[in-house]
Amino acid sequence: MVPQFGGVARSKREALVTNALLSGTIPDMRTLLILGIVCGSMSHAPAGELEGGVAAVDITPTKWPLHLRGSFRPQLATSAHDPLMSRALVLGDGETRLALVVVDSCMVDRDLLDRAKARAAKASGIPADKMLISSTHTHSAPFANASNGTPEELAYQAQLENGIASSIVVAAMSPQAVSVATGGSPLSEEVFNRRWFLEEGTMPTNPFGETTDKVKMNPGSKHLVKPAGPTDPEVSVLAVKDRRGKPLSLYANYSLHYVGNTGGEVSADYFGEFASLIRTRLRASESFVGMLSNGTSGDINNINFRRRRPPRQPFEQIKVVASKTADAAYRALEGVDYQKRLDLGMVERELTLRVRVPTEAQIAHARDVLRREEVGEKIVPGLAPIYARRMMSQAKLGAMLKVPVQAVRIGDLAICAIPFETLVEIGLELKERSPFADAFTVSLANGGFGYLPTPKQHSYGGYETWLCTNKVEKESSEIIVKNLLEMLAELKGE
């Protein structure tokens, strides 16, 4: 797959690097220099000043059919409406180099990302713990973990790993002097908390045969009382200009789950449309790479349950939301100052969290559901057999789960990275308590371990808190926030 920079292949020499990656051979930087692949394009910044490089590698499937991840009953896709990409931004200050990567995928498992990081580290010299790789959470991308084990899935898993590694290596190949600015702008009308309290006596039975939930996800328009949590309306941006003062890249963040309605085709959802539109907003060249990471959107979607939206064609709402998000990103940069010298830093910790263990009663209920399903009995609610199977798998997990968290410093901007579908209150707390002037959180970063509610949201119940949807101890969000704040203080020098 030829590396794409804003949709255009930049050079045959860089294509050679990607082809080597795809074949499983990764040249290191010394080899690239000997081959003359990077020497003509490298333009380092003066000592102490920032340098950066970008890349966008096409990771659209080439072998079909593939199941789309993101629903309880995955659809089978045979075509792509728009490309899936792995977009990378590499920044350095002469001492520290770090990579920010956004992948058009529902979620990518840690094992695959660790392999991609190791390969990219060998070729680029960037340490693996200085790489933040996140998934956009489009619900119209194939499974990254080859869950069904088909030849097409296995081929895509290899393609995805190669593409992610390639994007980092190519971005690291051509450093040039850059300047950086950060900012934010609100876009409140496209984010809605999807967890709702309902009128007493109207809560449906959950997959475990219980009616103890206090809130319901995506409740429809009847029996509504109030949302169970807030939203985060901010579109945050990290903008990079090249040595000529022209836009080189923009890394954005917005806490919106996804938009959807893609007609059963593979699609990058509004994340991909944003990447295209922001180039237009900034009057950038074809070499520009824009990317949109997913914030703390575990309980946030694009549905106003109080006011029904008029019917939309497939992809119509995606374009509406992407356009507004690009507008907000544009506004966020009004009047900002671009800096050539900023402190860069990135720290990573591996946390050990306790796994939630099913009770004997829960296992017995799951076995009973599966027994009744096997003899052809209609099971109500319809999700009960799905969660019964998940419950049996949960019971086989170990007692502890190791998860990586990261904190990044880029001047007065702090970026926190969490490998869960993180509920919005967690991101808002980190913004409020961060020692930096600006902060945002990237979800599904460096892996995907299920949902991460707060203890308060756990007390309300509902889909995001159900065992198997959430796999780790109910206090995990507090443990993660505590560690991230310590890491931010370390980066701040406090």
Side-chain angles (χ1 to χ4, degrees):
M1 192 68 65
V2 176
Q4 301 289 309
F5 298 78
V8 177
R10 181 173 282 185
S11 76
K12 292 182 179 179
R13 291 184 302 171
E14 289 164 346
L16 292 173
V17 178
T18 303
N19 289 335
L21 284 161
L22 291 174
S23 68
T25 303
I26 305 183
D28 58 23
M29 192 59 71
R30 179 175 178 273
T31 302
L32 296 174
L33 287 165
I34 292 172
L35 293 174
I37 290 175
V38 300
C39 62
S41 57
M42 298 179 73
S43 176
H44 290 284
E49 294 189 3
L50 294 173
E51 61 183 25
V54 295
V57 173
D58 192 325
I59 55 170
T60 311
T62 58
K63 296 183 179 180
W64 308 92
L66 289 165
H67 284 93
L68 302 181
R69 186 167 188 172
S71 68
F72 288 110
R73 298 172 180 85
Q75 291 179 278
L76 198 62
T78 58
S79 63
H81 173 271
D82 52 274
L84 305 181
M85 308 293 287
S86 177
R87 299 178 173 90
L89 166 64
V90 170
L91 292 174
D93 62 2
E95 294 184 3
T96 299
R97 278 202 306 166
L98 54 87
L100 304 178
V101 186
V102 177
V103 183
D104 288 326
S105 183
C106 186
M107 64 181 68
V108 184
D109 291 347
R110 182 183 181 181
D111 289 347
L112 188 151
L113 292 178
D114 283 350
R115 294 195 302 270
K117 288 182 181 184
R119 298 172 68 185
K122 179 180 178 181
S124 70
I126 301 173
D129 64 359
K130 296 295 187 291
M131 300 175 183
L132 191 171
I133 307 176
S134 67
S135 301
T136 60
H137 202 53
T138 170
H139 278 215
S140 302
F143 282 83
N145 61 354
S147 65
N148 298 298
T150 67
E152 293 82 6
E153 281 191 341
L154 294 170
Y156 185 67
Q157 186 180 53
Q159 179 189 353
L160 182 62
E161 179 184 328
N162 290 332
I164 293 170
S166 176
S167 66
I168 298 170
V169 175
V170 177
M173 282 173 49
S174 304
Q176 61 174 296
V178 298
S179 56
V180 169
T182 63
S185 182
L187 178 60
S188 59
E189 66 263 31
E190 297 301 334
V191 285
F192 304 91
N193 198 295
R194 69 184 191 182
R195 287 166 54 81
W196 281 74
F197 290 100
L198 302 184
E199 295 172 354
E200 187 174 353
T202 63
M203 187 64 64
T205 303
N206 67 26
F208 315 109
E210 305 163 341
T211 56
T212 54
D213 290 338
K214 297 177 183 177
V215 303
K216 178 173 171 52
M217 176 192 75
N218 296 340
S221 58
K222 297 180 180 180
H223 312 301
L224 301 178
V225 176
K226 64 179 181 179
T231 64
D232 181 354
E234 186 176 22
V235 177
S236 300
V237 298
L238 165 66
V240 183
K241 288 186 175 180
D242 65 17
R243 60 183 181 270
R244 299 165 298 171
K246 302 296 184 181
L248 178 68
S249 182
L250 184 134
Y251 184 100
N253 180 267
Y254 190 39
S255 293
L256 172 59
H257 213 72
Y258 70 105
V259 177
N261 190 16
T262 61
E265 290 186 280
V266 162
S267 172
D269 205 280
Y270 93 109
F271 307 96
E273 185 71 10
F274 170 90
S276 174
L277 292 176
I278 194 61
R279 181 189 301 118
T280 301
R281 300 293 187 273
L282 300 181
R283 300 183 186 276
S285 70
E286 289 294 317
S287 62
F288 174 87
V289 176
M291 60 193 91
L292 177 61
S293 61
N294 204 323
T296 49
S297 67
D299 50 348
I300 308 299
N301 67 14
N302 191 233
I303 303 172
N304 183 350
F305 293 103
R306 290 289 195 192
R307 186 177 184 183
R308 182 173 297 180
R309 178 188 300 140
R312 297 280 199 259
Q313 295 178 344
F315 300 99
E316 183 179 355
Q317 184 66 9
I318 282 174
K319 294 179 180 179
V320 170
V321 177
S323 180
K324 290 184 178 181
T325 309
D327 288 348
Y330 174 84
R331 290 191 297 270
L333 294 175
E334 291 177 339
V336 300
D337 294 322
Y338 284 80
Q339 305 292 324
K340 294 182 179 180
R341 293 177 180 270
L342 290 175
D343 291 326
L344 292 183
M346 189 170 186
V347 292
E348 178 175 305
R349 288 185 184 179
E350 185 171 80
L351 307 182
T352 301
L353 303 175
R354 291 195 302 271
V355 173
R356 292 175 65 184
V357 179
T359 64
E360 291 184 7
Q362 288 171 323
I363 292 295
H365 177 267
R367 286 174 174 160
D368 182 62
V369 168
L370 295 176
R371 178 190 59 78
R372 290 188 287 125
E373 181 190 44
E374 188 175 355
V375 298
E377 183 178 334
K378 183 179 179 180
I379 308 297
V380 178
L383 292 181
I386 294 173
Y387 271 86
R389 283 186 282 274
R390 291 183 178 185
M391 190 72 73
M392 303 308 292
S393 297
Q394 180 80 13
K396 297 176 183 178
L397 294 178
M400 312 298 284
L401 187 66
K402 295 183 181 297
V403 302
V405 295
Q406 294 174 329
V408 183
R409 177 181 187 174
I410 302 173
D412 288 330
L413 170 66
I415 303 174
C416 297
I418 300 177
F420 290 89
E421 294 187 57
T422 311
L423 269 63
V424 72
E425 289 164 303
I426 298 167
L428 291 170
E429 180 181 0
L430 286 166
K431 283 187 176 185
E432 181 180 354
R433 299 179 64 186
S434 167
F436 292 89
D438 196 7
F440 62 79
T441 298
V442 179
S443 291
L444 291 173
N446 309 302
F449 296 95
Y451 277 79
L452 185 67
T454 62
K456 182 179 75 171
Q457 292 296 330
H458 268 293
S459 72
Y460 297 157
Y463 166 76
E464 295 84 355
T465 73
W466 291 343
L467 180 57
C468 305
T469 302
N470 164 258
K471 298 180 173 66
V472 292
E473 56 189 306
K474 295 181 180 181
E475 297 77 23
S476 292
S477 71
E478 296 179 331
I479 295 170
I480 289 172
V481 167
K482 175 180 180 294
N483 276 271
L484 284 170
L485 290 173
E486 292 173 356
M487 295 156 72
L488 291 177
E490 178 185 339
L491 289 170
K492 187 71 172 179
E494 296 179 347

